[in-house]
Amino acid sequence: MSGPERLPFAANLYRVPAEGGYFLVDAGLPWERRRLLALLQKPPLLLFLTHHHLDHAGGARALWERFRLPVLAHPREWPYLTGKKPRPPLPIPLLGGFLANLGPPLPEEALRPVEEGAEVLGWRVVELPGHTLGQVGLFREGVLLAGDALRGRGLPPRPINEDHALARKTVRRILDLGAEWVYPGHGGPLKREEVEALARKLGV
């Protein structure tokens, strides 16, 4: 299996080979859309969003408008993606709510639901809650595309996790899946041994 290609934007995007072409995991910030569109020589088969945060989903509207591709996301994330519910504010005084909600909303017609156990072009959807309650990843042959379930060799900071205790438990879930390589939303790939070390540190 050819591995996912990391596209280092503000958050990692991944270009994943699939039969008939490729698909994208996450879409970057809204103001990165021109650079992202310039990188795409062929239209993606679909866009898979790990969660609703702006650095991962902000470019989704531009991709949908250009390619009319299906955008897959967990139903818990839909209210934030469509603008029906404001994203939680970033931990920045005064401007946190404004900055978190700068992205253009997606129309509901663009979205397709994905939940635990669904298959996406040969990858299995796995729920990785904590950072957001509807965060999902993709798993195949020991490789996990994990969104912000991990950040670097740790967890995202407590103030930006919707449920920090659940985020800690998700580290154990990653190991229980049998992940040998984890591709996170920020930083380079992690070996299983690095995730095991984090689990020991967290006591999970």
Side-chain angles (χ1 to χ4, degrees):
M1 179 190 73
S2 298
E5 178 189 0
R6 180 164 68 109
L7 305 176
F9 285 66
N12 293 334
L13 284 57
Y14 293 99
R15 182 161 37 192
V16 185
E19 186 175 352
Y22 72 97
F23 66 93
L24 283 179
V25 174
D26 288 337
L29 289 162
W31 44 90
E32 295 176 310
R33 65 188 181 279
R34 292 182 188 276
R35 183 159 70 96
L36 176 57
L37 290 170
L39 279 176
L40 305 179
Q41 301 300 316
K42 292 171 56 180
L45 299 170
L46 59 87
L47 171 62
F48 182 93
L49 295 178
T50 59
H51 61 294
H52 69 77
H53 286 165
L54 196 67
D55 55 338
H56 292 260
R61 177 66 181 255
L63 288 170
W64 181 77
E65 288 181 345
R66 171 69 64 87
F67 301 118
R68 285 300 194 267
L69 77 179
V71 180
L72 280 58
H74 193 284
R76 282 181 179 262
E77 308 294 281
W78 285 28
Y80 305 105
L81 294 168
T82 59
K84 290 182 178 177
K85 188 174 180 180
R87 291 181 173 97
L90 296 170
I92 299 170
L94 301 178
L95 294 176
F98 170 74
L99 293 173
N101 290 282
L102 283 175
L106 277 167
E108 195 160 313
E109 66 183 286
L111 289 164
R112 305 289 183 273
V114 285
E115 299 185 61
E116 178 78 30
E119 184 176 306
V120 176
L121 298 176
W123 294 74
R124 177 162 61 94
V125 176
V126 292
E127 294 181 0
L128 302 169
H131 184 59
T132 70
L133 297 182
Q135 181 171 244
V136 285
L138 292 171
F139 184 71
R140 176 179 175 179
E141 297 177 11
V143 174
L144 176 66
L145 300 168
D148 280 356
L150 299 175
R151 181 171 290 201
R153 291 183 175 86
L155 290 177
R158 183 185 294 268
I160 61 171
N161 287 333
E162 282 188 46
D163 186 328
H164 194 69
L166 196 52
R168 289 163 57 95
K169 291 178 182 177
T170 287
V171 176
R172 170 50 53 189
R173 172 157 171 68
I174 288 170
L175 294 171
D176 291 346
L177 285 169
E180 297 295 333
W181 284 96
V182 178
Y183 288 72
H186 299 268
L190 300 170
K191 297 178 182 178
R192 181 177 181 85
E193 291 80 7
E194 294 172 290
V195 183
E196 289 173 339
L198 174 60
R200 288 193 297 270
K201 180 180 176 182
L202 295 172
V204 296

PDB file of all heavy atoms in Angstrom, residues 81-101:
ATOM      1  N   LEU A  81     -19.649  22.797  11.110  1.00  0.00           N
ATOM      2  CA  LEU A  81     -19.227  22.915   9.717  1.00  0.00           C
ATOM      3  C   LEU A  81     -20.215  23.721   8.882  1.00  0.00           C
ATOM      4  O   LEU A  81     -19.828  24.422   7.948  1.00  0.00           O
ATOM      5  CB  LEU A  81     -19.049  21.517   9.104  1.00  0.00           C
ATOM      6  CG  LEU A  81     -17.912  20.685   9.689  1.00  0.00           C
ATOM      7  CD1 LEU A  81     -18.022  19.231   9.230  1.00  0.00           C
ATOM      8  CD2 LEU A  81     -16.559  21.261   9.297  1.00  0.00           C
ATOM      9  N   THR A  82     -21.500  23.621   9.216  1.00  0.00           N
ATOM     10  CA  THR A  82     -22.526  24.340   8.448  1.00  0.00           C
ATOM     11  C   THR A  82     -22.815  25.729   9.017  1.00  0.00           C
ATOM     12  O   THR A  82     -23.598  26.482   8.419  1.00  0.00           O
ATOM     13  CB  THR A  82     -23.835  23.538   8.431  1.00  0.00           C
ATOM     14  OG1 THR A  82     -24.286  23.343   9.779  1.00  0.00           O
ATOM     15  CG2 THR A  82     -23.654  22.187   7.756  1.00  0.00           C
ATOM     16  N   GLY A  83     -22.222  26.059  10.148  1.00  0.00           N
ATOM     17  CA  GLY A  83     -22.461  27.356  10.768  1.00  0.00           C
ATOM     18  C   GLY A  83     -23.734  27.435  11.585  1.00  0.00           C
ATOM     19  O   GLY A  83     -24.087  28.509  12.087  1.00  0.00           O
ATOM     20  N   LYS A  84     -24.433  26.323  11.767  1.00  0.00           N
ATOM     21  CA  LYS A  84     -25.642  26.342  12.588  1.00  0.00           C
ATOM     22  C   LYS A  84     -25.309  26.535  14.069  1.00  0.00           C
ATOM     23  O   LYS A  84     -26.155  26.967  14.850  1.00  0.00           O
ATOM     24  CB  LYS A  84     -26.437  25.056  12.385  1.00  0.00           C
ATOM     25  CG  LYS A  84     -27.073  24.961  11.004  1.00  0.00           C
ATOM     26  CD  LYS A  84     -27.890  23.688  10.856  1.00  0.00           C
ATOM     27  CE  LYS A  84     -28.554  23.643   9.478  1.00  0.00           C
ATOM     28  NZ  LYS A  84     -29.301  22.382   9.263  1.00  0.00           N
ATOM     29  N   LYS A  85     -24.094  26.194  14.428  1.00  0.00           N
ATOM     30  CA  LYS A  85     -23.627  26.340  15.808  1.00  0.00           C
ATOM     31  C   LYS A  85     -22.233  26.933  15.764  1.00  0.00           C
ATOM     32  O   LYS A  85     -21.391  26.477  14.986  1.00  0.00           O
ATOM     33  CB  LYS A  85     -23.621  24.967  16.491  1.00  0.00           C
ATOM     34  CG  LYS A  85     -23.351  24.981  17.967  1.00  0.00           C
ATOM     35  CD  LYS A  85     -23.530  23.571  18.531  1.00  0.00           C
ATOM     36  CE  LYS A  85     -23.277  23.548  20.019  1.00  0.00           C
ATOM     37  NZ  LYS A  85     -23.446  22.173  20.569  1.00  0.00           N
ATOM     38  N   PRO A  86     -21.926  27.956  16.562  1.00  0.00           N
ATOM     39  CA  PRO A  86     -20.576  28.530  16.512  1.00  0.00           C
ATOM     40  C   PRO A  86     -19.545  27.578  17.106  1.00  0.00           C
ATOM     41  O   PRO A  86     -19.831  26.851  18.068  1.00  0.00           O
ATOM     42  CB  PRO A  86     -20.696  29.805  17.349  1.00  0.00           C
ATOM     43  CG  PRO A  86     -21.854  29.553  18.257  1.00  0.00           C
ATOM     44  CD  PRO A  86     -22.804  28.676  17.500  1.00  0.00           C
ATOM     45  N   ARG A  87     -18.370  27.575  16.520  1.00  0.00           N
ATOM     46  CA  ARG A  87     -17.273  26.804  17.098  1.00  0.00           C
ATOM     47  C   ARG A  87     -16.902  27.377  18.466  1.00  0.00           C
ATOM     48  O   ARG A  87     -16.997  28.588  18.678  1.00  0.00           O
ATOM     49  CB  ARG A  87     -16.046  26.866  16.191  1.00  0.00           C
ATOM     50  CG  ARG A  87     -16.192  26.136  14.868  1.00  0.00           C
ATOM     51  CD  ARG A  87     -14.919  26.235  14.051  1.00  0.00           C
ATOM     52  NE  ARG A  87     -14.974  25.411  12.852  1.00  0.00           N
ATOM     53  CZ  ARG A  87     -15.303  25.855  11.654  1.00  0.00           C
ATOM     54  NH1 ARG A  87     -15.625  27.146  11.488  1.00  0.00           N
ATOM     55  NH2 ARG A  87     -15.328  25.048  10.613  1.00  0.00           N
ATOM     56  N   PRO A  88     -16.464  26.523  19.397  1.00  0.00           N
ATOM     57  CA  PRO A  88     -16.002  27.038  20.690  1.00  0.00           C
ATOM     58  C   PRO A  88     -14.864  28.031  20.490  1.00  0.00           C
ATOM     59  O   PRO A  88     -14.039  27.867  19.587  1.00  0.00           O
ATOM     60  CB  PRO A  88     -15.525  25.787  21.427  1.00  0.00           C
ATOM     61  CG  PRO A  88     -16.215  24.650  20.748  1.00  0.00           C
ATOM     62  CD  PRO A  88     -16.389  25.061  19.315  1.00  0.00           C
ATOM     63  N   PRO A  89     -14.791  29.084  21.305  1.00  0.00           N
ATOM     64  CA  PRO A  89     -13.738  30.082  21.123  1.00  0.00           C
ATOM     65  C   PRO A  89     -12.349  29.520  21.385  1.00  0.00           C
ATOM     66  O   PRO A  89     -12.175  28.629  22.221  1.00  0.00           O
ATOM     67  CB  PRO A  89     -14.093  31.169  22.142  1.00  0.00           C
ATOM     68  CG  PRO A  89     -14.943  30.483  23.150  1.00  0.00           C
ATOM     69  CD  PRO A  89     -15.685  29.409  22.420  1.00  0.00           C
ATOM     70  N   LEU A  90     -11.390  30.029  20.659  1.00  0.00           N
ATOM     71  CA  LEU A  90      -9.989  29.727  20.942  1.00  0.00           C
ATOM     72  C   LEU A  90      -9.589  30.410  22.251  1.00  0.00           C
ATOM     73  O   LEU A  90     -10.183  31.428  22.634  1.00  0.00           O
ATOM     74  CB  LEU A  90      -9.107  30.227  19.794  1.00  0.00           C
ATOM     75  CG  LEU A  90      -9.336  29.558  18.436  1.00  0.00           C
ATOM     76  CD1 LEU A  90      -8.595  30.308  17.347  1.00  0.00           C
ATOM     77  CD2 LEU A  90      -8.909  28.093  18.476  1.00  0.00           C
ATOM     78  N   PRO A  91      -8.568  29.871  22.941  1.00  0.00           N
ATOM     79  CA  PRO A  91      -8.150  30.484  24.210  1.00  0.00           C
ATOM     80  C   PRO A  91      -7.331  31.762  23.998  1.00  0.00           C
ATOM     81  O   PRO A  91      -6.171  31.867  24.394  1.00  0.00           O
ATOM     82  CB  PRO A  91      -7.327  29.373  24.869  1.00  0.00           C
ATOM     83  CG  PRO A  91      -6.784  28.582  23.733  1.00  0.00           C
ATOM     84  CD  PRO A  91      -7.838  28.623  22.653  1.00  0.00           C
ATOM     85  N   ILE A  92      -7.958  32.726  23.330  1.00  0.00           N
ATOM     86  CA  ILE A  92      -7.327  34.023  23.048  1.00  0.00           C
ATOM     87  C   ILE A  92      -8.281  35.100  23.559  1.00  0.00           C
ATOM     88  O   ILE A  92      -9.440  35.147  23.129  1.00  0.00           O
ATOM     89  CB  ILE A  92      -7.080  34.200  21.530  1.00  0.00           C
ATOM     90  CG1 ILE A  92      -6.147  33.106  21.007  1.00  0.00           C
ATOM     91  CG2 ILE A  92      -6.502  35.582  21.233  1.00  0.00           C
ATOM     92  CD1 ILE A  92      -6.035  33.066  19.500  1.00  0.00           C
ATOM     93  N   PRO A  93      -7.841  35.952  24.462  1.00  0.00           N
ATOM     94  CA  PRO A  93      -8.748  36.961  25.022  1.00  0.00           C
ATOM     95  C   PRO A  93      -9.406  37.815  23.947  1.00  0.00           C
ATOM     96  O   PRO A  93      -8.769  38.213  22.973  1.00  0.00           O
ATOM     97  CB  PRO A  93      -7.823  37.803  25.912  1.00  0.00           C
ATOM     98  CG  PRO A  93      -6.694  36.890  26.261  1.00  0.00           C
ATOM     99  CD  PRO A  93      -6.490  36.012  25.054  1.00  0.00           C
ATOM    100  N   LEU A  94     -10.677  38.063  24.099  1.00  0.00           N
ATOM    101  CA  LEU A  94     -11.500  38.947  23.273  1.00  0.00           C
ATOM    102  C   LEU A  94     -11.739  38.419  21.857  1.00  0.00           C
ATOM    103  O   LEU A  94     -12.858  38.462  21.354  1.00  0.00           O
ATOM    104  CB  LEU A  94     -10.895  40.354  23.201  1.00  0.00           C
ATOM    105  CG  LEU A  94     -10.706  41.082  24.547  1.00  0.00           C
ATOM    106  CD1 LEU A  94     -10.049  42.424  24.320  1.00  0.00           C
ATOM    107  CD2 LEU A  94     -12.042  41.241  25.258  1.00  0.00           C
ATOM    108  N   LEU A  95     -10.687  37.910  21.200  1.00  0.00           N
ATOM    109  CA  LEU A  95     -10.806  37.536  19.793  1.00  0.00           C
ATOM    110  C   LEU A  95     -11.052  36.050  19.579  1.00  0.00           C
ATOM    111  O   LEU A  95     -11.217  35.617  18.428  1.00  0.00           O
ATOM    112  CB  LEU A  95      -9.531  37.941  19.037  1.00  0.00           C
ATOM    113  CG  LEU A  95      -9.248  39.431  18.925  1.00  0.00           C
ATOM    114  CD1 LEU A  95      -7.906  39.663  18.247  1.00  0.00           C
ATOM    115  CD2 LEU A  95     -10.360  40.128  18.147  1.00  0.00           C
ATOM    116  N   GLY A  96     -11.063  35.243  20.647  1.00  0.00           N
ATOM    117  CA  GLY A  96     -11.108  33.790  20.490  1.00  0.00           C
ATOM    118  C   GLY A  96     -12.308  33.288  19.714  1.00  0.00           C
ATOM    119  O   GLY A  96     -12.177  32.423  18.836  1.00  0.00           O
ATOM    120  N   GLY A  97     -13.483  33.814  20.002  1.00  0.00           N
ATOM    121  CA  GLY A  97     -14.683  33.380  19.294  1.00  0.00           C
ATOM    122  C   GLY A  97     -14.688  33.812  17.839  1.00  0.00           C
ATOM    123  O   GLY A  97     -15.077  33.049  16.947  1.00  0.00           O
ATOM    124  N   PHE A  98     -14.238  35.034  17.594  1.00  0.00           N
ATOM    125  CA  PHE A  98     -14.175  35.559  16.223  1.00  0.00           C
ATOM    126  C   PHE A  98     -13.221  34.734  15.369  1.00  0.00           C
ATOM    127  O   PHE A  98     -13.563  34.302  14.257  1.00  0.00           O
ATOM    128  CB  PHE A  98     -13.738  37.025  16.263  1.00  0.00           C
ATOM    129  CG  PHE A  98     -13.414  37.605  14.923  1.00  0.00           C
ATOM    130  CD1 PHE A  98     -14.422  37.922  14.025  1.00  0.00           C
ATOM    131  CD2 PHE A  98     -12.095  37.829  14.554  1.00  0.00           C
ATOM    132  CE1 PHE A  98     -14.120  38.461  12.771  1.00  0.00           C
ATOM    133  CE2 PHE A  98     -11.786  38.363  13.312  1.00  0.00           C
ATOM    134  CZ  PHE A  98     -12.806  38.683  12.414  1.00  0.00           C
ATOM    135  N   LEU A  99     -12.012  34.472  15.890  1.00  0.00           N
ATOM    136  CA  LEU A  99     -11.006  33.754  15.106  1.00  0.00           C
ATOM    137  C   LEU A  99     -11.416  32.312  14.835  1.00  0.00           C
ATOM    138  O   LEU A  99     -11.126  31.774  13.763  1.00  0.00           O
ATOM    139  CB  LEU A  99      -9.662  33.785  15.839  1.00  0.00           C
ATOM    140  CG  LEU A  99      -9.001  35.163  15.967  1.00  0.00           C
ATOM    141  CD1 LEU A  99      -7.769  35.077  16.852  1.00  0.00           C
ATOM    142  CD2 LEU A  99      -8.638  35.717  14.592  1.00  0.00           C
ATOM    143  N   ALA A 100     -12.097  31.692  15.781  1.00  0.00           N
ATOM    144  CA  ALA A 100     -12.493  30.292  15.600  1.00  0.00           C
ATOM    145  C   ALA A 100     -13.541  30.116  14.514  1.00  0.00           C
ATOM    146  O   ALA A 100     -13.709  29.011  13.989  1.00  0.00           O
ATOM    147  CB  ALA A 100     -13.021  29.733  16.918  1.00  0.00           C
ATOM    148  N   ASN A 101     -14.226  31.201  14.161  1.00  0.00           N
ATOM    149  CA  ASN A 101     -15.372  31.092  13.255  1.00  0.00           C
ATOM    150  C   ASN A 101     -15.200  31.892  11.973  1.00  0.00           C
ATOM    151  O   ASN A 101     -16.186  32.315  11.356  1.00  0.00           O
ATOM    152  CB  ASN A 101     -16.639  31.514  13.994  1.00  0.00           C
ATOM    153  CG  ASN A 101     -17.030  30.510  15.053  1.00  0.00           C
ATOM    154  OD1 ASN A 101     -17.585  29.470  14.750  1.00  0.00           O
ATOM    155  ND2 ASN A 101     -16.720  30.811  16.309  1.00  0.00           N
TER     156      ASN A 101
END
